[in-house]
Amino acid sequence: MLYDYATVSPSSVRHAVDEAIERGEALLAAVEAAEERTWGTTMAPLDELAATTVKAYGRGPFLGRAHPARDIRTAGQEAEQKLTAWQSDLVFRRALWEAVEAYAATDEAAGLDGERARLLEHTRRDLRRAGHGLPEADRERLRTLRKRLVEIGIEFSRNLDEYEGGLDFAADELVGLPEEYVEGLAEGESPGTRRVTLDYPDYFPFMDLAEDRDARRRLQYAFYTKAVDENRPLLEEAVGIRQEIADIFDVPSWAHYAMEEKMAREPEAVHAFFDDLIPPLQQKAAEELDDLASRLDGDRPRGWDHRYLHTAIKRDRFGIDPNEVAAYFPLERVVDGMFEITGEVLGLSYRRLDAPTWHPDVQVWAIDDAASGDHLASFYMDLFPREGKFGHAAAFDLVPGHRTSDGYENPVTAILANFTKPTATAPSLLKHDEVVTLFHEFGHVLHNSLGRTELVRFTGFNTEWDFVEAPSQIMEHWCWQPGVLARFARHHDTGDAIPPDLVDQLVAARDLHQGLFWLRQLSFGMLDMRLHGPGDKDLDRINRETSELSGFPFHEGTFYPAGFGHLFGYDAGYYGYLWSKVFGDDMFSRFADEGILSPDVGAAYRRHVLEPGGSLDAEELLRRFLGREPNEEAFLRQLGLQ
């Protein structure tokens, strides 16, 4: 039974969290008071607690990101702060640490294997990282610092979600933009102007197509200074707190502390990874910058020129007009095609559900096993922008899949995105990069939906943070396969399939300026590592130097980290996008070798990577699926670097 999202209210949002905390306190009290130390009295209640808090998040804090009513969003944001602060505080309970350590010393604990042994190991690690074993004063200071980090992260995200900046442009500054784009803009304050917001559906098409170079510069400036007054002080405080926590544990930096739980294990591995990639990427990017400069009469390209020149060159060189391509990607057909492909490869079927939602735009779907007909999971799709909604694209865990005494509880996931909404006269048409985004995020939905673990701790996408993107990176590859695109890409007016030559051109253009693209991603990762690794924390210098690593001069006066939400949640972990890209490419190489849409490879992928979730180390998942040690050869081949 899916939750009734149509009847939520601020009080129901608050109640969901209050009830979960009350239930959680009862579970913890029973653990701490138990006279006999067994799995049932010590560890099983902790996994039940994990299920309780995830469900509470789905009924409360999640709505702070998605609900159209401001009062419910506000209640959700407040509930998120309350729930997250309570969860963050759990590991500081001395009696809980004593209970777990007492259980770890039993013969039963010594005989554990599989997920249960892993849960005990991870729980002990969590408690150690909370300072148990440190002097009491350090433990209390650590507790205060971690609580404050939670508060800062929620406030940072809220400032971005609620930010309503933008610029007004006159008609001559909108030259190059499609008529339907301009007509979809709100009127500006001055007569004859149009308001371009900083939301993705406004910002990126403008940067792609607006011919006025200075207009692009001004809009990028606004985008790179988004929420800077509110969020820069929060970021500075967070960086300082993270380093203080590292000092308490006597490790060199927050990166060293945080990466203990990640696949890379230590920042030195990430820097070695970057060091191997930077020289060949810079060499490739230098040629690409010359290519961009050829369109500026020799002037040096700036950051605000990048997307515009890239789009123009792609269109001229490969005959690709993003709007022409978008005509073949009406959202409804893309979704149908995505379901058809993943159903075929992974042995799934999909069916639409009639269930109450938080907004009329939201669709609800069930995932079933095609062979047995067994129901596996449900998910919500909320794909269009609206005021106050989460501004990016992401998947959210609403109900965790896990084994219970009553059988397996199937997972429920939500995908939030911000694609152009259909109108009375036109469907939602996706740019190709939006198609890639949809497939990517649906990879997270599948990862969370197809997990089949006993315990909540390891279900679905609860893997190491620097591996969690790999199952989504693998999904992106299908968006570049001519045979795959030809199956569902059809013109929204004529119904004609996308022409084979246009598919060929799209695929040929795929790697255009990829050196610059990956240098930019690497610059984000380096910013994150510089903020959280050893050494000086001069935010302005770090911002400038890592920005220039992207290949473009620094945009003076900007501070884009204030709008970089990944610095909370992916702190000392943003490198994971590139890191997991390497492993996603490596996994897809098996499809490339044995069949792009091979059900046999898909079955192995589902069995060895998706179903185990985080119940095994990521390296082991890769070895089992690939039948060998993972490597970066496929990634380098795609970029033409090997």
Side-chain angles (χ1 to χ4, degrees), residues 548-587:
E548 291 175 345
L549 183 61
S550 69
F552 295 97
F554 177 65
H555 194 154
E556 296 293 340
T558 65
F559 190 77
Y560 84 87
F564 190 25
H566 288 84
L567 293 174
F568 292 84
Y570 278 82
D571 44 285
Y574 191 82
Y575 72 88
Y577 278 101
L578 184 52
W579 181 275
S580 60
K581 163 70 173 170
V582 168
F583 296 119
D585 288 356
D586 198 18
M587 287 192 291

Side-chain angles (χ1 to χ4, degrees), residues 339-351 366-377 450 452 599 606 611:
F339 289 170
E340 179 186 347
I341 291 161
T342 55
E344 177 181 329
V345 174
L346 298 174
L348 308 172
S349 63
Y350 300 89
R351 52 191 169 88
I367 303 177
D368 299 327
D369 181 76
S372 67
D374 292 342
H375 176 56
L376 300 176
L450 301 183
R452 279 299 178 268
R606 178 175 162 184
E611 289 182 356

Side-chain angles (χ1 to χ4, degrees), residues 197-520:
T197 73
L198 303 182
D199 294 337
Y200 287 178
D202 280 8
Y203 178 75
F204 287 122
F206 190 96
M207 300 304 292
D208 286 343
L209 299 169
E211 295 179 7
D212 190 313
R213 191 180 186 192
D214 188 64
R216 297 196 306 270
R217 178 191 63 79
R218 287 184 283 126
L219 190 64
Q220 188 189 74
Y221 183 90
F223 192 79
Y224 281 8
T225 54
K226 181 166 53 175
V228 67
D229 292 338
E230 301 87 353
N231 278 355
R232 175 170 177 149
L234 294 174
L235 179 60
E236 290 175 338
E237 184 181 357
V239 168
I241 287 174
R242 289 164 180 162
Q243 183 58 47
E244 185 176 348
I245 291 174
D247 292 340
I248 289 174
F249 283 95
D250 196 26
V251 295
S253 70
W254 174 259
H256 287 83
Y257 172 77
M259 289 177 63
E260 179 187 5
E261 301 175 295
K262 296 182 171 69
M263 185 179 173
R265 301 297 182 221
E266 57 186 12
E268 290 77 11
V270 176
H271 286 294
F273 175 70
F274 284 168
D275 289 345
D276 286 343
L277 290 177
I278 287 174
L281 285 175
Q282 286 183 324
Q283 181 178 353
K284 187 175 179 65
E287 301 169 357
E288 295 169 355
L289 286 168
D290 290 341
D291 191 30
L292 297 181
S294 68
R295 298 299 183 100
L296 291 174
D297 297 325
D299 193 8
R300 185 180 185 185
R302 305 299 296 258
W304 53 84
D305 299 317
H306 183 191
R307 293 182 66 101
Y308 173 77
L309 296 174
H310 172 78
T311 301
I313 291 171
K314 180 185 285 189
R315 181 177 58 242
D316 295 347
R317 189 167 298 164
F318 301 104
I320 294 176
D321 178 344
N323 293 304
E324 177 190 355
V325 174
Y328 290 94
F329 290 111
L331 174 61
E332 186 173 348
R333 288 188 182 275
V334 174
V335 170
D336 288 345
M338 184 172 68
F339 289 170
E340 179 186 347
I341 291 161
T342 55
E344 177 181 329
V345 174
L346 298 174
L348 308 172
S349 63
Y350 300 89
R351 52 191 169 88
R352 184 83 176 265
L353 298 178
D354 183 13
T357 67
W358 53 89
H359 190 275
D361 289 341
V362 181
Q363 296 182 2
V364 192
W365 292 85
I367 303 177
D368 299 327
D369 181 76
S372 67
D374 292 342
H375 176 56
L376 300 176
S378 304
F379 65 93
Y380 297 83
M381 289 202 305
D382 184 353
L383 302 182
F384 305 123
R386 56 181 174 268
E387 182 181 353
K389 182 185 170 187
F390 179 74
H392 305 282
F396 297 83
D397 190 5
L398 305 184
V399 176
H402 65 293
R403 194 178 304 155
T404 73
S405 58
D406 297 323
Y408 201 85
E409 181 164 25
N410 290 321
V412 181
T413 313
I415 176 175
L416 301 184
N418 290 276
F419 302 131
T420 302
K421 190 172 183 177
T423 66
T425 58
S428 172
L429 300 178
L430 302 187
K431 302 290 195 298
H432 185 260
D433 61 351
E434 292 178 316
V435 176
V436 174
T437 295
L438 179 59
F439 269 68
H440 177 102
E441 296 303 336
F442 194 63
H444 289 306
V445 172
L446 290 174
H447 196 183
N448 208 45
S449 296
L450 301 183
R452 279 299 178 268
T453 57
E454 174 188 2
L455 303 176
V456 173
R457 176 69 180 256
F458 307 119
T459 190
F461 47 44
N462 288 292
T463 68
E464 295 98 321
W465 273 78
D466 46 357
F467 180 74
V468 73
E469 295 295 331
S472 289
Q473 298 282 4
I474 197 174
M475 288 283 294
E476 296 183 16
H477 284 273
W478 280 303
C479 301
W480 300 102
Q481 305 299 321
V484 173
L485 291 182
R487 292 174 60 161
F488 65 85
R490 295 184 176 275
H491 197 282
H492 70 99
D493 277 336
T494 66
D496 294 338
I498 190 168
D501 59 341
L502 182 56
V503 177
D504 291 341
Q505 291 165 343
L506 191 64
V507 174
R510 176 183 58 190
D511 296 330
L512 179 67
H513 306 148
Q514 282 292 289
L516 286 169
F517 174 83
W518 286 111
L519 263 188
R520 184 168 183 267

